[in-house]
Coordinates of all heavy atoms in Angstrom, one line a residue:
M1 N -17.9 -0.5 -0.1 CA -16.9 -1.3 0.6 C -16.3 -2.3 -0.4 O -17.1 -3.0 -1.1 CB -17.4 -2.0 1.8 CG -16.4 -2.8 2.5 SD -17.0 -3.8 3.9 CE -17.9 -2.7 4.8
S2 N -15.0 -2.4 -0.5 CA -14.4 -3.4 -1.4 C -14.4 -4.8 -0.8 O -14.5 -5.0 0.4 CB -12.9 -3.0 -1.5 OG -12.8 -1.7 -2.1
K3 N -14.5 -5.8 -1.7 CA -14.5 -7.2 -1.2 C -13.1 -7.6 -0.7 O -13.0 -8.5 0.1 CB -14.9 -8.1 -2.3 CG -16.4 -8.0 -2.5 CD -16.9 -9.1 -3.5 CE -18.4 -9.1 -3.6 NZ -18.8 -10.3 -4.2
V4 N -12.1 -7.1 -1.3 CA -10.7 -7.5 -0.9 C -9.9 -6.3 -0.5 O -10.0 -5.2 -1.2 CB -10.0 -8.2 -2.1 CG1 -8.6 -8.5 -1.8 CG2 -10.8 -9.4 -2.6
S5 N -9.1 -6.4 0.5 CA -8.2 -5.4 1.0 C -6.8 -5.9 0.8 O -6.4 -7.0 1.4 CB -8.4 -5.0 2.4 OG -9.7 -4.4 2.6
I6 N -6.0 -5.2 0.1 CA -4.6 -5.6 -0.1 C -3.8 -4.7 0.8 O -3.8 -3.4 0.6 CB -4.2 -5.4 -1.6 CG1 -5.0 -6.3 -2.5 CG2 -2.7 -5.7 -1.8 CD1 -5.0 -6.0 -3.9
I7 N -3.0 -5.3 1.7 CA -2.3 -4.5 2.7 C -0.8 -4.6 2.3 O -0.3 -5.7 2.3 CB -2.6 -5.0 4.1 CG1 -4.0 -4.8 4.4 CG2 -1.7 -4.2 5.1 CD1 -4.5 -5.5 5.6
L8 N -0.2 -3.5 2.1 CA 1.2 -3.4 1.7 C 2.0 -2.6 2.8 O 2.1 -1.4 2.7 CB 1.4 -2.8 0.4 CG 0.9 -3.5 -0.9 CD1 1.0 -2.6 -2.1 CD2 1.6 -4.8 -1.1
P9 N 2.6 -3.3 3.7 CA 3.5 -2.6 4.6 C 4.8 -2.2 3.9 O 5.3 -3.1 3.2 CB 3.7 -3.6 5.8 CG 3.4 -4.9 5.2 CD 2.5 -4.7 4.1
V10 N 5.3 -1.1 4.1 CA 6.5 -0.7 3.4 C 7.4 0.3 4.2 O 6.9 1.1 4.9 CB 6.1 0.0 2.0 CG1 5.4 1.3 2.2 CG2 7.4 0.2 1.1
H11 N 8.7 0.0 4.1 CA 9.7 0.8 4.7 C 10.8 1.0 3.7 O 11.5 0.1 3.3 CB 10.3 0.1 6.0 CG 11.4 0.9 6.6 ND1 11.2 2.1 7.3 CD2 12.7 0.7 6.6 CE1 12.4 2.5 7.7 NE2 13.3 1.7 7.3
N12 N 10.9 2.2 3.2 CA 11.9 2.6 2.2 C 11.9 1.7 1.0 O 12.9 1.1 0.7 CB 13.3 2.7 2.9 CG 13.4 3.8 3.8 OD1 12.6 4.7 3.9 ND2 14.4 3.8 4.7
G13 N 10.8 1.5 0.4 CA 10.6 0.6 -0.8 C 10.6 1.4 -2.1 O 9.9 0.9 -3.0
E14 N 11.2 2.5 -2.2 CA 11.1 3.4 -3.4 C 11.5 2.6 -4.7 O 10.8 2.9 -5.7 CB 12.1 4.6 -3.2 CG 12.2 5.5 -4.3 CD 13.2 6.6 -4.1 OE1 13.9 6.6 -3.1 OE2 13.2 7.6 -4.9
K15 N 12.4 1.8 -4.6 CA 12.9 1.1 -5.8 C 11.9 0.0 -6.3 O 12.0 -0.4 -7.4 CB 14.3 0.5 -5.6 CG 15.3 1.6 -5.4 CD 16.7 1.0 -5.2 CE 17.7 2.1 -4.9 NZ 19.0 1.6 -4.7
K16 N 11.1 -0.5 -5.4 CA 10.2 -1.7 -5.8 C 8.8 -1.4 -5.8 O 8.0 -2.1 -6.3 CB 10.5 -2.8 -4.8 CG 11.9 -3.2 -4.7 CD 12.2 -4.5 -5.2 CE 13.7 -4.8 -5.1 NZ 14.0 -6.0 -5.8
I17 N 8.3 -0.3 -5.2 CA 6.9 -0.1 -5.0 C 6.2 0.1 -6.3 O 5.0 -0.3 -6.5 CB 6.6 1.1 -4.0 CG1 5.1 1.1 -3.5 CG2 7.0 2.4 -4.6 CD1 4.8 -0.1 -2.7
A18 N 6.8 0.8 -7.3 CA 6.1 1.0 -8.5 C 5.8 -0.3 -9.2 O 4.7 -0.5 -9.8 CB 6.9 1.9 -9.5
R19 N 6.7 -1.3 -9.2 CA 6.5 -2.6 -9.8 C 5.3 -3.3 -9.1 O 4.5 -3.9 -9.8 CB 7.8 -3.4 -9.7 CG 7.7 -4.7 -10.4 CD 9.0 -5.5 -10.4 NE 8.8 -6.8 -11.0 CZ 9.6 -7.8 -10.8 NH1 10.7 -7.6 -10.1 NH2 9.4 -8.9 -11.4
A20 N 5.3 -3.3 -7.8 CA 4.2 -3.9 -7.1 C 2.9 -3.3 -7.4 O 1.9 -4.0 -7.6 CB 4.5 -3.9 -5.5
L21 N 2.8 -2.0 -7.4 CA 1.5 -1.3 -7.6 C 1.1 -1.5 -9.1 O -0.1 -1.6 -9.4 CB 1.6 0.1 -7.2 CG 1.7 0.3 -5.7 CD1 1.9 1.8 -5.4 CD2 0.5 -0.3 -5.0
K22 N 2.1 -1.5 -10.0 CA 1.7 -1.7 -11.4 C 1.1 -3.1 -11.6 O 0.2 -3.3 -12.4 CB 3.0 -1.6 -12.3 CG 2.6 -1.9 -13.8 CD 3.5 -1.2 -14.7 CE 3.2 -1.5 -16.2 NZ 2.0 -2.2 -16.6
S23 N 1.6 -4.1 -10.9 CA 1.1 -5.5 -11.0 C -0.3 -5.5 -10.5 O -1.2 -6.1 -11.1 CB 2.0 -6.4 -10.1 OG 1.4 -7.7 -10.1
L24 N -0.7 -4.7 -9.4 CA -2.0 -4.6 -9.0 C -2.9 -3.9 -10.0 O -4.1 -4.3 -10.3 CB -2.1 -3.9 -7.6 CG -1.5 -4.6 -6.4 CD1 -1.6 -3.7 -5.2 CD2 -2.3 -5.9 -6.2
A25 N -2.4 -2.9 -10.6 CA -3.2 -2.1 -11.6 C -3.5 -2.9 -12.8 O -4.5 -2.7 -13.4 CB -2.4 -0.8 -12.0
D26 N -2.7 -3.9 -13.1 CA -2.8 -4.7 -14.3 C -3.8 -5.9 -14.1 O -4.2 -6.6 -15.0 CB -1.5 -5.3 -14.8 CG -0.6 -4.2 -15.4 OD1 -1.1 -3.1 -15.7 OD2 0.6 -4.5 -15.5
Q27 N -4.3 -6.1 -12.9 CA -5.2 -7.2 -12.6 C -6.6 -6.9 -13.2 O -7.0 -5.8 -13.4 CB -5.4 -7.3 -11.1 CG -4.2 -7.7 -10.3 CD -3.5 -8.9 -10.8 OE1 -4.2 -10.0 -10.9 NE2 -2.3 -8.9 -11.1
T28 N -7.3 -8.0 -13.6 CA -8.6 -7.9 -14.2 C -9.7 -7.8 -13.1 O -10.7 -7.1 -13.3 CB -8.9 -9.1 -15.1 OG1 -8.8 -10.3 -14.4 CG2 -8.0 -9.1 -16.3
Y29 N -9.4 -8.3 -11.9 CA -10.3 -8.2 -10.8 C -10.2 -6.8 -10.2 O -9.1 -6.4 -9.9 CB -10.0 -9.3 -9.7 CG -11.0 -9.3 -8.6 CD1 -12.2 -9.8 -8.7 CD2 -10.7 -8.6 -7.4 CE1 -13.2 -9.8 -7.6 CE2 -11.5 -8.6 -6.3 CZ -12.8 -9.2 -6.4 OH -13.7 -9.2 -5.4
R30 N -11.3 -6.1 -10.0 CA -11.2 -4.7 -9.7 C -11.8 -4.3 -8.3 O -11.6 -3.2 -7.9 CB -11.8 -3.8 -10.8 CG -11.3 -3.9 -12.1 CD -9.8 -3.7 -12.3 NE -9.4 -2.5 -11.7 CZ -8.1 -2.2 -11.4 NH1 -7.1 -3.1 -11.6 NH2 -7.7 -1.1 -10.9
D31 N -12.4 -5.2 -7.7 CA -13.1 -4.9 -6.4 C -12.2 -5.0 -5.2 O -12.4 -5.9 -4.4 CB -14.4 -5.7 -6.2 CG -15.3 -5.3 -5.2 OD1 -15.1 -4.1 -4.7 OD2 -16.2 -6.0 -4.8
F32 N -11.2 -4.2 -5.2 CA -10.2 -4.2 -4.1 C -9.8 -2.8 -3.7 O -9.9 -1.8 -4.5 CB -9.0 -5.0 -4.5 CG -8.1 -4.5 -5.6 CD1 -7.2 -3.5 -5.3 CD2 -8.4 -4.9 -6.9 CE1 -6.4 -3.1 -6.4 CE2 -7.6 -4.4 -7.9 CZ -6.6 -3.5 -7.7
E33 N -9.3 -2.7 -2.5 CA -8.7 -1.5 -2.0 C -7.3 -1.8 -1.7 O -7.0 -3.0 -1.4 CB -9.4 -0.9 -0.8 CG -9.2 -1.8 0.5 CD -9.7 -1.2 1.7 OE1 -9.9 0.1 1.8 OE2 -9.8 -1.9 2.7
T34 N -6.4 -0.9 -1.8 CA -5.0 -1.1 -1.5 C -4.7 -0.1 -0.3 O -4.8 1.1 -0.5 CB -4.1 -0.8 -2.7 OG1 -4.5 -1.6 -3.8 CG2 -2.6 -1.1 -2.3
V35 N -4.3 -0.7 0.8 CA -3.8 0.0 2.0 C -2.3 -0.1 2.1 O -1.8 -1.1 2.4 CB -4.5 -0.5 3.2 CG1 -4.1 0.3 4.4 CG2 -6.0 -0.5 3.1
L36 N -1.6 1.0 1.8 CA -0.2 1.1 1.9 C 0.1 1.6 3.3 O -0.3 2.7 3.6 CB 0.4 2.0 0.8 CG 1.9 1.9 0.7 CD1 2.3 1.8 -0.7 CD2 2.5 3.1 1.4
V37 N 0.8 0.8 4.0 CA 1.2 1.2 5.4 C 2.6 1.7 5.4 O 3.6 1.0 5.2 CB 1.1 0.0 6.3 CG1 1.4 0.4 7.8 CG2 -0.3 -0.6 6.3
D38 N 2.7 3.0 5.6 CA 4.0 3.7 5.6 C 4.6 3.4 7.0 O 4.2 4.0 8.0 CB 3.8 5.2 5.4 CG 5.0 6.1 5.6 OD1 6.1 5.5 5.9 OD2 5.0 7.3 5.4
N39 N 5.6 2.6 7.0 CA 6.3 2.2 8.3 C 7.6 3.0 8.4 O 8.7 2.5 8.4 CB 6.5 0.7 8.3 CG 6.7 0.1 9.7 OD1 7.3 -0.9 9.8 ND2 6.1 0.7 10.7
N40 N 7.4 4.3 8.5 CA 8.5 5.3 8.7 C 9.5 5.4 7.6 O 10.7 5.3 7.7 CB 9.3 4.9 10.0 CG 8.4 4.9 11.2 OD1 7.8 5.9 11.5 ND2 8.3 3.7 11.9
C41 N 8.9 5.5 6.4 CA 9.7 5.7 5.2 C 10.5 7.0 5.2 O 9.9 8.0 5.6 CB 8.9 5.7 3.9 SG 8.1 4.1 3.6
T42 N 11.7 7.0 4.8 CA 12.5 8.2 4.7 C 12.9 8.5 3.3 O 13.7 9.4 3.0 CB 13.7 8.1 5.6 OG1 14.5 7.0 5.2 CG2 13.4 8.0 7.1
D43 N 12.5 7.7 2.3 CA 12.8 8.0 0.9 C 11.5 8.4 0.2 O 10.6 8.9 0.8 CB 13.4 6.7 0.3 CG 12.4 5.5 0.3 OD1 11.3 5.7 0.7 OD2 12.8 4.4 -0.2
Q44 N 11.5 8.2 -1.1 CA 10.4 8.7 -1.9 C 9.3 7.7 -2.2 O 8.5 7.8 -3.1 CB 10.9 9.3 -3.3 CG 11.8 10.5 -3.1 CD 11.1 11.6 -2.5 OE1 9.9 12.0 -2.9 NE2 11.7 12.3 -1.5
T45 N 9.2 6.7 -1.3 CA 8.3 5.6 -1.5 C 6.8 6.1 -1.7 O 6.1 5.7 -2.6 CB 8.3 4.6 -0.4 OG1 9.6 4.1 -0.2 CG2 7.3 3.5 -0.5
I46 N 6.4 7.0 -0.8 CA 5.0 7.5 -0.8 C 4.7 8.3 -2.1 O 3.7 8.1 -2.7 CB 4.7 8.2 0.5 CG1 5.0 7.4 1.7 CG2 3.2 8.7 0.5 CD1 4.3 6.0 1.7
G47 N 5.7 9.1 -2.4 CA 5.5 9.9 -3.7 C 5.3 9.0 -4.9 O 4.5 9.3 -5.8
V48 N 6.1 8.0 -5.0 CA 6.1 7.0 -6.1 C 4.7 6.3 -6.1 O 4.0 6.2 -7.1 CB 7.2 6.0 -6.1 CG1 7.0 5.0 -7.2 CG2 8.6 6.8 -6.3
A49 N 4.3 5.9 -4.9 CA 3.1 5.2 -4.7 C 1.8 6.0 -5.1 O 0.9 5.5 -5.7 CB 2.9 4.6 -3.3
M50 N 1.9 7.3 -4.8 CA 0.7 8.2 -5.1 C 0.4 8.3 -6.6 O -0.7 8.6 -7.0 CB 0.9 9.5 -4.5 CG 0.9 9.5 -2.9 SD -0.6 8.7 -2.2 CE -1.8 9.9 -2.6
Q51 N 1.4 8.0 -7.4 CA 1.1 8.0 -8.9 C 0.1 6.9 -9.3 O -0.5 7.0 -10.4 CB 2.5 7.7 -9.6 CG 3.5 8.8 -9.4 CD 4.8 8.5 -10.0 OE1 4.9 7.6 -10.9 NE2 5.9 9.2 -9.6
F52 N -0.1 5.9 -8.4 CA -1.0 4.8 -8.7 C -2.3 5.0 -7.9 O -3.1 4.0 -7.9 CB -0.4 3.5 -8.3 CG 0.8 3.1 -9.2 CD1 2.1 3.6 -8.8 CD2 0.6 2.4 -10.3 CE1 3.1 3.3 -9.6 CE2 1.7 2.0 -11.1 CZ 3.0 2.5 -10.8
K53 N -2.6 6.1 -7.3 CA -3.7 6.3 -6.3 C -5.0 5.8 -6.9 O -5.7 5.1 -6.3 CB -3.7 7.8 -5.9 CG -4.8 8.0 -4.9 CD -4.9 9.4 -4.4 CE -6.1 9.5 -3.5 NZ -6.0 10.3 -2.4
D54 N -5.4 6.3 -8.1 CA -6.6 6.0 -8.7 C -6.7 4.5 -9.3 O -7.7 3.8 -9.2 CB -7.0 7.0 -9.7 CG -7.3 8.4 -9.1 OD1 -7.7 8.4 -8.0 OD2 -7.0 9.3 -9.8
S55 N -5.6 4.1 -9.9 CA -5.6 2.8 -10.6 C -5.7 1.6 -9.6 O -6.1 0.5 -10.0 CB -4.4 2.7 -11.5 OG -3.2 2.7 -10.8
V56 N -5.2 1.8 -8.4 CA -5.3 0.7 -7.4 C -6.1 1.0 -6.2 O -6.0 0.3 -5.2 CB -3.9 0.2 -7.0 CG1 -3.1 -0.3 -8.2 CG2 -3.1 1.3 -6.3
N57 N -6.9 2.1 -6.3 CA -7.8 2.5 -5.1 C -6.9 2.5 -3.9 O -7.2 1.9 -2.9 CB -8.9 1.5 -4.9 CG -10.0 2.0 -4.0 OD1 -10.1 3.2 -3.7 ND2 -10.8 1.1 -3.4
L58 N -5.9 3.4 -3.9 CA -4.8 3.4 -2.9 C -5.2 4.4 -1.8 O -5.7 5.5 -2.0 CB -3.5 3.9 -3.6 CG -2.3 4.0 -2.6 CD1 -1.8 2.7 -2.1 CD2 -1.2 4.7 -3.4
R59 N -4.9 3.9 -0.6 CA -5.0 4.7 0.6 C -3.7 4.5 1.4 O -3.2 3.4 1.5 CB -6.2 4.3 1.5 CG -6.9 5.4 2.1 CD -8.3 5.0 2.7 NE -8.5 3.6 2.9 CZ -8.4 3.0 4.1 NH1 -8.0 3.7 5.1 NH2 -8.6 1.7 4.2
V60 N -3.1 5.6 1.9 CA -1.8 5.5 2.6 C -2.1 5.8 4.1 O -2.8 6.8 4.4 CB -0.8 6.5 2.1 CG1 0.5 6.5 2.9 CG2 -0.5 6.2 0.6
V61 N -1.7 5.0 4.9 CA -1.8 5.2 6.4 C -0.4 5.1 7.0 O 0.5 4.4 6.4 CB -2.7 4.1 7.1 CG1 -4.2 4.3 6.6 CG2 -2.3 2.7 6.8
K62 N -0.2 5.8 8.1 CA 1.2 5.9 8.7 C 1.2 5.1 10.0 O 0.4 5.3 10.9 CB 1.5 7.3 8.9 CG 2.8 7.5 9.6 CD 3.8 8.3 8.7 CE 5.1 8.6 9.5 NZ 6.2 7.8 9.0
C63 N 2.1 4.1 10.1 CA 2.3 3.3 11.3 C 3.6 3.8 11.9 O 4.6 3.6 11.3 CB 2.3 1.9 11.0 SG 2.6 0.8 12.5
E64 N 3.5 4.3 13.1 CA 4.7 4.8 13.8 C 5.6 3.7 14.4 O 6.8 3.9 14.6 CB 4.4 5.9 14.9 CG 3.6 7.0 14.4 CD 4.4 8.0 13.6 OE1 5.7 8.0 13.7 OE2 3.9 8.8 12.8
V65 N 4.9 2.6 14.7 CA 5.7 1.5 15.4 C 6.4 0.7 14.3 O 5.8 0.2 13.4 CB 4.7 0.6 16.1 CG1 5.4 -0.6 16.8 CG2 3.8 1.4 17.1
Q66 N 7.7 0.6 14.4 CA 8.5 -0.1 13.5 C 8.3 -1.6 13.5 O 8.2 -2.2 14.6 CB 10.0 0.2 13.7 CG 10.9 -0.2 12.6 CD 10.8 0.6 11.3 OE1 10.5 1.7 11.3 NE2 10.9 -0.1 10.2
G67 N 8.3 -2.2 12.3 CA 8.3 -3.7 12.2 C 7.1 -4.1 11.4 O 6.1 -3.5 11.2
L68 N 7.3 -5.3 10.8 CA 6.3 -5.9 9.9 C 5.0 -6.2 10.6 O 3.9 -5.9 10.1 CB 6.9 -7.2 9.3 CG 6.0 -7.9 8.3 CD1 5.5 -7.1 7.1 CD2 6.6 -9.2 7.8
V69 N 5.0 -6.9 11.7 CA 3.8 -7.3 12.4 C 3.0 -6.1 12.8 O 1.7 -6.0 12.6 CB 4.1 -8.3 13.6 CG1 2.8 -8.5 14.4 CG2 4.7 -9.6 13.1
P70 N 3.6 -5.1 13.5 CA 2.7 -3.9 13.8 C 2.2 -3.2 12.6 O 1.0 -2.8 12.6 CB 3.7 -3.0 14.5 CG 4.8 -3.9 15.1 CD 4.9 -5.0 14.1
A71 N 2.9 -3.2 11.5 CA 2.5 -2.6 10.3 C 1.3 -3.3 9.6 O 0.3 -2.8 9.2 CB 3.6 -2.4 9.3
L72 N 1.4 -4.6 9.6 CA 0.3 -5.5 9.1 C -0.9 -5.3 10.0 O -2.1 -5.1 9.5 CB 0.7 -6.9 9.1 CG 1.6 -7.3 7.9 CD1 2.2 -8.7 8.1 CD2 1.0 -7.2 6.6
N73 N -0.8 -5.4 11.3 CA -1.9 -5.2 12.2 C -2.6 -3.8 12.0 O -3.8 -3.6 12.0 CB -1.5 -5.4 13.6 CG -1.3 -6.8 13.9 OD1 -1.8 -7.8 13.3 ND2 -0.5 -7.1 14.9
F74 N -1.7 -2.8 11.8 CA -2.2 -1.4 11.6 C -3.0 -1.4 10.3 O -4.1 -0.7 10.1 CB -1.1 -0.4 11.6 CG -1.5 1.0 11.7 CD1 -1.9 1.5 12.9 CD2 -1.5 1.8 10.6 CE1 -2.3 2.9 13.0 CE2 -1.9 3.1 10.6 CZ -2.3 3.7 11.9
G75 N -2.5 -2.0 9.2 CA -3.1 -2.0 7.9 C -4.5 -2.8 8.0 O -5.5 -2.3 7.4
I76 N -4.6 -3.8 8.7 CA -5.8 -4.6 8.9 C -6.8 -3.7 9.6 O -8.0 -3.6 9.2 CB -5.6 -5.9 9.7 CG1 -4.8 -6.9 8.8 CG2 -6.9 -6.5 10.1 CD1 -4.3 -8.1 9.6
A77 N -6.4 -3.0 10.7 CA -7.3 -2.1 11.4 C -7.8 -1.0 10.6 O -8.9 -0.4 10.9 CB -6.6 -1.6 12.7
N78 N -7.1 -0.6 9.5 CA -7.4 0.5 8.7 C -8.0 0.1 7.4 O -8.1 0.9 6.4 CB -6.2 1.5 8.5 CG -6.0 2.3 9.8 OD1 -6.6 3.3 10.0 ND2 -5.0 1.8 10.6
S79 N -8.4 -1.1 7.2 CA -9.0 -1.6 6.0 C -10.5 -1.7 6.1 O -11.0 -1.7 7.2 CB -8.4 -2.9 5.5 OG -8.7 -3.9 6.5
S80 N -11.1 -1.7 5.0 CA -12.6 -1.8 5.0 C -13.0 -3.2 4.8 O -14.1 -3.6 5.0 CB -13.3 -0.9 4.0 OG -12.9 -1.3 2.7

């Protein structure tokens, strides 16, 4: 179990997700999991994010309820 869970709710963030995940991959602290909450993406966000799967201990979960608060709560519920 990771000590820190980083929850990233995202809706169509294809243009920015690589930069965010690269920033996490560059951290020296490594005891974290990254829970990316797919909040009904219709672009290539998840495909881009999966390129970082191993470097940021990435897990993708899908939240059907639109909105930041439901996505954050879903991410918390699905973190370790």
Side-chain angles (χ1 to χ4, degrees):
M1 180 187 310
S2 301
K3 284 192 175 191
V4 175
S5 296
I6 300 164
I7 300 168
L8 293 174
V10 64
H11 174 73
N12 294 342
E14 175 181 12
K15 294 180 180 177
K16 306 246 180 193
I17 195 66
R19 182 175 178 199
L21 293 174
K22 176 154 180 14
S23 177
L24 290 176
D26 291 344
Q27 298 302 307
T28 55
Y29 183 79
R30 303 302 313 159
D31 193 12
F32 64 87
E33 69 171 344
T34 306
V35 180
L36 188 136
V37 182
D38 175 358
N39 201 208
N40 303 301
C41 292
T42 58
D43 63 2
Q44 296 299 314
T45 300
I46 305 307
V48 172
M50 292 308 287
Q51 297 173 17
F52 294 87
K53 183 174 176 144
D54 295 328
S55 62
V56 297
N57 191 20
L58 179 69
R59 221 168 14 100
V60 176
V61 295
K62 178 118 174 110
C63 177
E64 301 289 337
V65 181
Q66 190 67 35
L68 178 60
V69 173
L72 285 169
N73 287 335
F74 193 80
I76 291 167
N78 285 279
S79 66
S80 62

